[in-house]
Amino acid sequence: MSEPVILVEKSGAVATVTLNRPGAMNALSRELRTAIAETFEALEADPNIRVAILTGAGKAFCAGLDLKELGSDTGGINATIGDKDPVTSIGQFSGPVIGAINGVAITGGFELALACDVLICSENARFADTHARVGILPGWGLSQKLSRAIGIYRAKELSLTGNFLSAQQAQEWGLINRVVTAEELLPVCRKLAEDMLSVVPECLPAYKKLIDDGFAEAFGEALKTERKVSSAANKAVTPDAVAERRKGIQERGKQQAS
């Protein structure tokens, strides 16, 4: 039997999703694209899973669309239209998605990385947008997300050259959260997931949604959205609950300062 193209390991409220085509640098075949979409749909339907970690098997995170498969398809790139969109499905998972970028994230793989909420990279990670070198245009959000993440001039430099961006440079440009060693990558991501799970449970998906919804709006409209959403949500918070949680915050602050 052939290996599954995606692996899911659940530990408590955290699911680690691993793209599992290491021999093909986890290139996005139709089978893998469908598996990613269906996996995140299933995780969203699982009330026990509240945080997901996305990574790749082997040396690559994801090398993008499987160009070998596309080259043998008479429909070409347009053959992907109507397929399940993995990036949209990742975005529909209501909890945080931590990208554990273990190696190269190229083109469609870059788009998968940008679908995550937090990006932790090993020193082996590199990013490249090679859409223009292949002769196609992105359709999963890269052309808009990248410029918003690192600025329009840097985004144009990357996308109009197809040049690689190292993990260290990506950190300096503000594209990722931080760089760790390959050995530390998954432990750091799991610790971050546990930190996220320690906040007030209903706030985790609600705050993520508030950030994402506001980010998609003009600044003035986003401020109105925040006021509207917070006013409705905060009515349910009692003074006693705030006082009780304050003790935990103080204790945690002491531990983190030590």
Coordinates of all heavy atoms in Angstrom, one line a residue, residues 30-117:
R30 N -3.2 16.8 -7.2 CA -4.6 16.9 -7.0 C -5.0 16.2 -5.8 O -5.8 16.6 -5.0 CB -5.4 16.4 -8.2 CG -6.9 16.4 -8.0 CD -7.7 16.0 -9.3 NE -7.9 17.2 -10.1 CZ -7.4 17.3 -11.3 NH1 -6.7 16.3 -11.8 NH2 -7.6 18.4 -12.0
E31 N -4.4 15.0 -5.6 CA -4.8 14.2 -4.4 C -4.4 14.9 -3.1 O -5.2 14.9 -2.1 CB -4.0 12.8 -4.4 CG -4.4 11.9 -3.3 CD -3.5 10.6 -3.3 OE1 -2.6 10.5 -4.1 OE2 -3.9 9.7 -2.5
L32 N -3.2 15.5 -3.1 CA -2.8 16.2 -1.9 C -3.6 17.5 -1.6 O -4.0 17.8 -0.5 CB -1.3 16.6 -1.9 CG -0.7 17.3 -0.7 CD1 -1.0 16.6 0.6 CD2 0.8 17.5 -0.9
R33 N -3.9 18.2 -2.7 CA -4.8 19.4 -2.5 C -6.1 19.1 -1.9 O -6.6 19.7 -1.0 CB -5.0 20.1 -3.9 CG -3.7 20.7 -4.5 CD -4.0 21.6 -5.7 NE -4.8 21.1 -6.7 CZ -4.3 20.5 -7.8 NH1 -3.0 20.2 -7.9 NH2 -5.2 20.1 -8.8
T34 N -6.7 18.0 -2.4 CA -8.0 17.5 -1.9 C -7.8 17.1 -0.4 O -8.7 17.4 0.4 CB -8.5 16.4 -2.7 OG1 -8.7 16.8 -4.1 CG2 -9.9 15.9 -2.2
A35 N -6.7 16.4 -0.2 CA -6.5 15.9 1.2 C -6.4 17.0 2.2 O -6.9 16.9 3.3 CB -5.3 15.0 1.2
I36 N -5.7 18.1 1.8 CA -5.5 19.2 2.7 C -6.9 19.8 3.0 O -7.2 20.1 4.2 CB -4.6 20.3 2.1 CG1 -3.1 19.7 2.0 CG2 -4.5 21.6 2.9 CD1 -2.2 20.6 1.1
A37 N -7.6 20.1 2.0 CA -8.9 20.7 2.1 C -9.8 19.8 3.0 O -10.5 20.3 4.0 CB -9.6 20.9 0.8
E38 N -9.9 18.6 2.7 CA -10.8 17.7 3.5 C -10.3 17.5 4.9 O -11.1 17.4 5.9 CB -10.9 16.3 2.8 CG -11.6 16.4 1.5 CD -11.7 15.1 0.7 OE1 -11.0 14.1 1.2 OE2 -12.5 15.0 -0.2
T39 N -9.0 17.5 5.1 CA -8.4 17.4 6.5 C -8.8 18.6 7.4 O -9.3 18.4 8.5 CB -6.9 17.3 6.5 OG1 -6.5 16.1 5.8 CG2 -6.3 17.3 7.8
F40 N -8.7 19.8 6.8 CA -9.0 21.0 7.6 C -10.5 21.1 7.8 O -11.0 21.6 8.8 CB -8.4 22.2 7.0 CG -7.0 22.4 7.5 CD1 -5.9 21.9 6.7 CD2 -6.7 23.1 8.6 CE1 -4.6 22.0 7.2 CE2 -5.4 23.2 9.1 CZ -4.3 22.7 8.4
E41 N -11.3 20.7 6.8 CA -12.8 20.6 7.0 C -13.1 19.7 8.2 O -14.0 20.0 9.0 CB -13.4 20.2 5.7 CG -13.4 21.2 4.6 CD -13.8 20.7 3.2 OE1 -14.2 19.5 3.2 OE2 -13.7 21.4 2.2
A42 N -12.4 18.5 8.2 CA -12.7 17.6 9.3 C -12.2 18.1 10.7 O -12.9 17.9 11.7 CB -12.0 16.3 9.0
L43 N -11.1 18.8 10.7 CA -10.6 19.4 11.9 C -11.6 20.5 12.4 O -11.8 20.6 13.6 CB -9.2 20.0 11.7 CG -8.1 19.0 11.5 CD1 -6.8 19.7 11.3 CD2 -8.0 18.0 12.6
E44 N -12.1 21.3 11.5 CA -13.1 22.3 11.9 C -14.4 21.6 12.5 O -15.0 22.2 13.4 CB -13.5 23.2 10.7 CG -14.5 24.2 11.0 CD -14.1 25.2 12.1 OE1 -12.9 25.3 12.4 OE2 -15.0 26.0 12.5
A45 N -14.7 20.5 12.0 CA -15.9 19.8 12.5 C -15.6 19.0 13.8 O -16.6 18.5 14.4 CB -16.4 18.8 11.4
D46 N -14.4 18.9 14.2 CA -14.0 18.2 15.4 C -14.0 19.2 16.6 O -13.1 20.0 16.7 CB -12.7 17.5 15.2 CG -12.3 16.7 16.4 OD1 -12.9 16.8 17.5 OD2 -11.4 15.8 16.3
P47 N -14.9 19.1 17.5 CA -15.0 20.1 18.6 C -13.8 20.0 19.6 O -13.5 20.9 20.4 CB -16.3 19.8 19.3 CG -16.5 18.3 19.0 CD -16.0 18.1 17.6
N48 N -13.1 18.9 19.5 CA -11.9 18.7 20.4 C -10.6 19.4 19.9 O -9.7 19.5 20.7 CB -11.7 17.2 20.6 CG -12.9 16.5 21.3 OD1 -13.4 17.0 22.3 ND2 -13.3 15.4 20.7
I49 N -10.6 19.7 18.6 CA -9.4 20.3 18.1 C -9.5 21.8 18.0 O -10.4 22.3 17.3 CB -9.1 19.7 16.7 CG1 -8.8 18.2 16.8 CG2 -7.8 20.4 16.1 CD1 -7.7 17.8 17.7
R50 N -8.6 22.5 18.6 CA -8.7 24.0 18.7 C -7.5 24.7 18.1 O -7.6 25.9 17.8 CB -8.9 24.4 20.1 CG -10.2 23.8 20.8 CD -10.3 24.1 22.2 NE -10.1 25.5 22.5 CZ -9.4 26.0 23.6 NH1 -8.9 25.1 24.4 NH2 -9.3 27.2 23.8
V51 N -6.4 24.0 17.9 CA -5.2 24.6 17.2 C -4.7 23.5 16.3 O -4.7 22.3 16.6 CB -4.2 25.0 18.3 CG1 -2.9 25.6 17.6 CG2 -4.7 26.0 19.3
A52 N -4.2 24.0 15.1 CA -3.5 23.1 14.2 C -2.1 23.6 13.9 O -1.8 24.8 13.9 CB -4.3 23.0 12.9
I53 N -1.2 22.6 13.7 CA 0.1 22.9 13.2 C 0.3 22.2 11.8 O -0.1 21.1 11.6 CB 1.2 22.2 14.2 CG1 1.1 22.9 15.6 CG2 2.6 22.4 13.6 CD1 1.9 22.2 16.6
L54 N 0.8 23.0 10.9 CA 1.0 22.5 9.5 C 2.4 22.5 9.2 O 3.1 23.5 9.3 CB 0.2 23.4 8.5 CG 0.3 23.0 7.0 CD1 -0.3 21.7 6.8 CD2 -0.3 24.1 6.2
T55 N 2.9 21.3 8.7 CA 4.3 21.2 8.4 C 4.5 20.2 7.2 O 3.5 19.7 6.7 CB 5.2 20.7 9.6 OG1 6.5 20.9 9.3 CG2 4.9 19.3 10.0
G56 N 5.7 19.9 6.8 CA 6.0 19.0 5.7 C 6.9 17.9 6.1 O 7.8 18.1 7.0
A57 N 6.8 16.8 5.5 CA 7.7 15.6 5.7 C 8.9 15.8 4.9 O 8.9 16.4 3.8 CB 7.0 14.3 5.4
G58 N 10.1 15.4 5.4 CA 11.3 15.4 4.6 C 11.9 16.8 4.6 O 11.8 17.5 5.6
K59 N 12.6 17.2 3.5 CA 13.4 18.4 3.5 C 12.6 19.6 3.1 O 13.1 20.7 3.2 CB 14.6 18.2 2.6 CG 15.6 17.2 3.0 CD 16.8 17.0 2.1 CE 17.8 16.0 2.6 NZ 18.9 15.9 1.6
A60 N 11.4 19.4 2.5 CA 10.6 20.6 2.0 C 9.4 20.8 2.8 O 8.8 19.8 3.4 CB 10.3 20.4 0.6
F61 N 8.9 22.0 2.9 CA 7.6 22.3 3.4 C 6.6 22.0 2.3 O 5.8 21.1 2.4 CB 7.4 23.7 3.8 CG 6.0 24.1 4.2 CD1 5.5 23.6 5.4 CD2 5.3 25.0 3.4 CE1 4.1 24.0 5.7 CE2 4.0 25.3 3.8 CZ 3.4 24.8 4.9
C62 N 6.7 22.7 1.1 CA 5.9 22.4 0.0 C 6.5 23.1 -1.2 O 6.7 24.3 -1.2 CB 4.4 22.8 0.2 SG 3.4 22.6 -1.2
A63 N 6.7 22.3 -2.3 CA 7.3 22.9 -3.5 C 6.2 23.5 -4.5 O 6.5 23.8 -5.6 CB 8.1 21.8 -4.3
G64 N 5.0 23.6 -4.1 CA 3.9 24.2 -4.9 C 3.2 23.2 -5.7 O 3.3 22.0 -5.5
L65 N 2.5 23.6 -6.7 CA 1.7 22.7 -7.6 C 2.6 21.7 -8.2 O 3.8 22.0 -8.6 CB 1.0 23.5 -8.7 CG -0.3 24.3 -8.2 CD1 -0.8 25.1 -9.4 CD2 -1.4 23.3 -7.7
D66 N 2.1 20.5 -8.3 CA 2.8 19.4 -9.0 C 2.9 19.6 -10.5 O 1.9 19.3 -11.2 CB 2.2 18.0 -8.7 CG 3.0 16.9 -9.1 OD1 3.8 17.0 -10.1 OD2 2.9 15.8 -8.4
L67 N 3.9 20.3 -10.9 CA 4.0 20.7 -12.3 C 4.1 19.5 -13.3 O 3.7 19.5 -14.4 CB 5.2 21.6 -12.6 CG 5.2 22.9 -11.8 CD1 6.4 23.8 -12.1 CD2 3.9 23.7 -12.1
K68 N 4.7 18.4 -12.8 CA 4.8 17.1 -13.6 C 3.4 16.6 -13.9 O 3.0 16.3 -15.0 CB 5.6 16.1 -12.9 CG 5.8 14.8 -13.6 CD 6.7 13.8 -12.9 CE 6.8 12.5 -13.7 NZ 7.7 11.5 -12.9
E69 N 2.5 16.6 -12.8 CA 1.1 16.2 -13.0 C 0.4 17.1 -13.9 O -0.4 16.7 -14.8 CB 0.4 16.1 -11.7 CG -1.0 15.6 -11.7 CD -1.7 15.6 -10.4 OE1 -2.0 16.7 -9.9 OE2 -1.8 14.6 -9.8
L70 N 0.6 18.4 -13.7 CA -0.1 19.4 -14.5 C 0.3 19.3 -16.0 O -0.5 19.5 -16.9 CB 0.1 20.8 -14.0 CG -0.6 21.2 -12.7 CD1 -0.2 22.6 -12.3 CD2 -2.1 21.2 -12.9
G71 N 1.6 19.0 -16.2 CA 2.1 19.0 -17.6 C 1.5 17.8 -18.4 O 1.5 17.9 -19.6
S72 N 1.0 16.8 -17.7 CA 0.4 15.6 -18.3 C -1.1 15.7 -18.4 O -1.7 14.9 -19.0 CB 0.8 14.3 -17.6 OG 0.3 14.3 -16.3
D73 N -1.6 16.8 -17.9 CA -3.1 17.0 -17.9 C -3.4 17.9 -19.1 O -2.9 19.1 -19.2 CB -3.5 17.7 -16.6 CG -5.0 17.6 -16.4 OD1 -5.8 17.8 -17.4 OD2 -5.5 17.3 -15.3
T74 N -4.3 17.5 -20.0 CA -4.6 18.2 -21.2 C -5.3 19.5 -20.8 O -5.3 20.5 -21.6 CB -5.5 17.4 -22.1 OG1 -6.7 17.0 -21.4 CG2 -4.8 16.2 -22.6
G75 N -5.9 19.6 -19.6 CA -6.5 20.9 -19.2 C -5.6 21.9 -18.6 O -5.9 23.1 -18.4
G76 N -4.3 21.5 -18.4 CA -3.3 22.5 -17.9 C -3.7 23.0 -16.6 O -4.3 22.4 -15.8
I77 N -3.3 24.3 -16.4 CA -3.5 25.0 -15.1 C -5.0 25.1 -14.9 O -5.5 24.9 -13.7 CB -2.9 26.4 -15.1 CG1 -1.4 26.3 -14.9 CG2 -3.5 27.2 -14.0 CD1 -1.0 25.7 -13.6
N78 N -5.8 25.3 -15.9 CA -7.2 25.4 -15.7 C -7.9 24.1 -15.3 O -9.1 24.1 -14.8 CB -7.9 25.9 -17.1 CG -7.7 27.3 -17.3 OD1 -7.4 28.1 -16.4 ND2 -7.7 27.7 -18.6
A79 N -7.2 23.0 -15.3 CA -7.7 21.8 -14.8 C -7.9 21.8 -13.3 O -8.6 21.0 -12.7 CB -6.8 20.6 -15.1
T80 N -7.2 22.8 -12.6 CA -7.3 22.9 -11.2 C -8.6 23.7 -10.7 O -9.0 23.6 -9.6 CB -6.1 23.7 -10.6 OG1 -6.1 25.0 -11.0 CG2 -4.8 23.0 -11.0
I81 N -9.2 24.4 -11.7 CA -10.4 25.1 -11.4 C -11.5 24.1 -11.0 O -11.8 23.2 -11.7 CB -10.8 26.0 -12.5 CG1 -9.8 27.1 -12.8 CG2 -12.2 26.7 -12.3 CD1 -10.0 27.9 -14.0
G82 N -12.2 24.4 -9.9 CA -13.2 23.5 -9.5 C -12.7 22.5 -8.4 O -13.5 21.8 -7.8
D83 N -11.4 22.3 -8.4 CA -10.8 21.4 -7.3 C -11.0 22.1 -6.0 O -11.2 23.3 -5.9 CB -9.3 21.2 -7.5 CG -9.0 20.3 -8.7 OD1 -9.9 19.8 -9.3 OD2 -7.8 20.2 -9.0
K84 N -11.0 21.3 -4.9 CA -11.0 21.9 -3.6 C -9.8 22.7 -3.3 O -8.7 22.3 -3.6 CB -11.1 20.8 -2.5 CG -12.5 20.1 -2.5 CD -12.7 19.4 -1.2 CE -14.2 18.9 -1.1 NZ -14.5 18.4 0.2
D85 N -10.0 23.9 -2.9 CA -9.0 24.9 -2.7 C -8.4 24.7 -1.2 O -9.1 25.0 -0.3 CB -9.5 26.3 -2.8 CG -8.6 27.4 -2.5 OD1 -7.5 27.2 -2.0 OD2 -9.0 28.6 -2.6
P86 N -7.2 24.3 -1.1 CA -6.6 24.0 0.2 C -6.4 25.3 1.0 O -6.6 25.3 2.3 CB -5.3 23.3 -0.1 CG -4.9 23.7 -1.4 CD -6.2 23.9 -2.2
V87 N -6.1 26.4 0.4 CA -5.9 27.6 1.1 C -7.2 28.1 1.8 O -7.2 28.5 2.9 CB -5.2 28.7 0.2 CG1 -5.2 30.1 0.9 CG2 -3.8 28.3 -0.2
T88 N -8.2 28.1 1.0 CA -9.5 28.5 1.5 C -10.0 27.6 2.7 O -10.5 28.1 3.7 CB -10.6 28.5 0.4 OG1 -10.3 29.5 -0.6 CG2 -12.0 28.9 1.0
S89 N -9.7 26.3 2.5 CA -10.1 25.4 3.6 C -9.3 25.6 4.9 O -9.9 25.5 6.0 CB -10.0 24.0 3.1 OG -10.9 23.7 2.0
I90 N -8.0 25.9 4.7 CA -7.2 26.2 5.9 C -7.8 27.5 6.6 O -7.9 27.5 7.8 CB -5.7 26.4 5.5 CG1 -5.1 25.1 5.1 CG2 -4.9 27.0 6.7 CD1 -3.7 25.2 4.5
G91 N -8.1 28.5 5.8 CA -8.7 29.7 6.3 C -10.0 29.6 7.0 O -10.4 30.4 7.9
Q92 N -10.7 28.5 6.7 CA -12.0 28.3 7.3 C -11.9 27.5 8.6 O -12.9 27.4 9.3 CB -12.9 27.6 6.3 CG -13.4 28.5 5.2 CD -14.1 27.7 4.1 OE1 -14.1 26.5 4.0 NE2 -14.8 28.5 3.2
F93 N -10.7 27.1 9.0 CA -10.5 26.5 10.3 C -10.5 27.6 11.3 O -9.8 28.6 11.2 CB -9.2 25.7 10.4 CG -8.9 25.1 11.7 CD1 -9.6 24.0 12.2 CD2 -7.9 25.6 12.5 CE1 -9.3 23.5 13.4 CE2 -7.6 25.1 13.7 CZ -8.3 24.0 14.2
S94 N -11.4 27.6 12.3 CA -11.7 28.8 13.2 C -10.6 29.0 14.2 O -10.4 30.1 14.8 CB -13.0 28.6 13.8 OG -13.1 27.4 14.6
G95 N -9.8 27.9 14.5 CA -8.7 28.1 15.5 C -7.4 28.5 14.8 O -7.3 28.6 13.6
P96 N -6.4 28.9 15.6 CA -5.1 29.3 15.0 C -4.4 28.1 14.2 O -4.5 27.0 14.7 CB -4.3 29.7 16.2 CG -5.3 29.9 17.3 CD -6.4 29.0 17.0
V97 N -3.8 28.4 13.1 CA -3.0 27.5 12.4 C -1.5 28.0 12.5 O -1.2 29.1 12.0 CB -3.4 27.3 10.9 CG1 -2.5 26.3 10.2 CG2 -4.9 26.9 10.8
I98 N -0.7 27.1 13.0 CA 0.7 27.5 13.2 C 1.5 26.8 12.0 O 1.4 25.6 11.9 CB 1.3 27.0 14.5 CG1 0.5 27.7 15.7 CG2 2.8 27.3 14.6 CD1 0.8 27.1 17.0
G99 N 2.1 27.6 11.2 CA 2.9 27.0 10.1 C 4.3 26.7 10.7 O 5.1 27.6 11.1
A100 N 4.7 25.4 10.6 CA 6.0 24.9 11.0 C 6.8 24.7 9.7 O 6.8 23.6 9.1 CB 6.0 23.6 11.8
I101 N 7.4 25.8 9.2 CA 8.0 25.8 7.9 C 9.4 25.1 8.0 O 10.4 25.8 8.4 CB 8.1 27.2 7.3 CG1 6.8 27.9 7.5 CG2 8.5 27.1 5.9 CD1 5.6 27.2 6.9
N102 N 9.5 23.9 7.6 CA 10.7 23.1 7.8 C 11.7 23.1 6.7 O 12.9 22.8 6.8 CB 10.3 21.6 8.0 CG 9.5 21.1 6.9 OD1 8.4 21.6 6.7 ND2 10.0 20.1 6.2
G103 N 11.3 23.6 5.5 CA 12.1 23.7 4.3 C 11.6 24.7 3.3 O 10.9 25.6 3.7
V104 N 11.8 24.4 2.0 CA 11.4 25.4 1.0 C 9.9 25.5 1.0 O 9.2 24.5 1.1 CB 12.0 25.1 -0.4 CG1 13.5 25.2 -0.4 CG2 11.6 23.7 -0.8
A105 N 9.3 26.7 0.8 CA 7.9 26.9 0.5 C 7.9 27.7 -0.8 O 8.1 28.9 -0.8 CB 7.3 27.7 1.7
I106 N 7.5 27.1 -1.8 CA 7.7 27.7 -3.2 C 6.3 27.8 -3.8 O 5.5 26.9 -3.9 CB 8.6 26.8 -4.1 CG1 10.0 26.6 -3.4 CG2 8.7 27.5 -5.4 CD1 10.8 25.6 -4.1
T107 N 6.0 29.0 -4.3 CA 4.8 29.3 -5.1 C 3.5 28.9 -4.4 O 3.1 29.5 -3.4 CB 5.0 28.7 -6.5 OG1 6.3 29.1 -7.0 CG2 3.9 29.3 -7.5
G108 N 2.9 27.8 -4.8 CA 1.7 27.3 -4.1 C 2.0 26.9 -2.7 O 1.2 27.1 -1.8
G109 N 3.2 26.5 -2.4 CA 3.7 26.2 -1.0 C 3.8 27.5 -0.2 O 3.5 27.5 1.0
F110 N 4.2 28.5 -0.9 CA 4.3 29.9 -0.3 C 2.9 30.3 0.1 O 2.7 30.9 1.2 CB 5.0 30.8 -1.2 CG 5.5 32.1 -0.7 CD1 6.4 32.9 -1.4 CD2 5.3 32.5 0.6 CE1 6.9 34.1 -0.9 CE2 5.8 33.6 1.2 CZ 6.6 34.4 0.4
E111 N 2.0 30.0 -0.8 CA 0.6 30.4 -0.5 C 0.0 29.6 0.7 O -0.8 30.2 1.5 CB -0.3 30.2 -1.7 CG 0.2 31.0 -2.9 CD -0.9 31.3 -3.9 OE1 -1.8 32.1 -3.6 OE2 -0.8 30.8 -5.1
L112 N 0.4 28.3 0.8 CA 0.0 27.5 1.9 C 0.5 28.1 3.2 O -0.2 28.2 4.2 CB 0.5 26.1 1.8 CG -0.3 25.1 1.0 CD1 0.3 23.7 1.2 CD2 -1.8 25.1 1.3
A113 N 1.8 28.6 3.2 CA 2.4 29.2 4.4 C 1.7 30.4 4.8 O 1.4 30.7 6.0 CB 3.9 29.5 4.1
L114 N 1.3 31.3 3.8 CA 0.6 32.5 4.1 C -0.8 32.3 4.6 O -1.5 33.2 5.1 CB 0.6 33.4 2.8 CG 2.0 34.0 2.4 CD1 1.8 34.8 1.1 CD2 2.6 34.8 3.5
A115 N -1.3 31.1 4.4 CA -2.7 30.8 4.9 C -2.6 30.5 6.4 O -3.7 30.5 7.1 CB -3.2 29.5 4.2
C116 N -1.4 30.3 7.0 CA -1.3 30.1 8.4 C -1.4 31.4 9.2 O -1.2 32.5 8.6 CB 0.0 29.4 8.7 SG 0.2 27.8 7.9
D117 N -1.6 31.3 10.5 CA -1.8 32.5 11.3 C -0.4 32.9 11.9 O -0.3 34.1 12.2 CB -2.8 32.2 12.4 CG -4.2 31.9 11.9 OD1 -4.8 32.8 11.3 OD2 -4.6 30.8 12.0

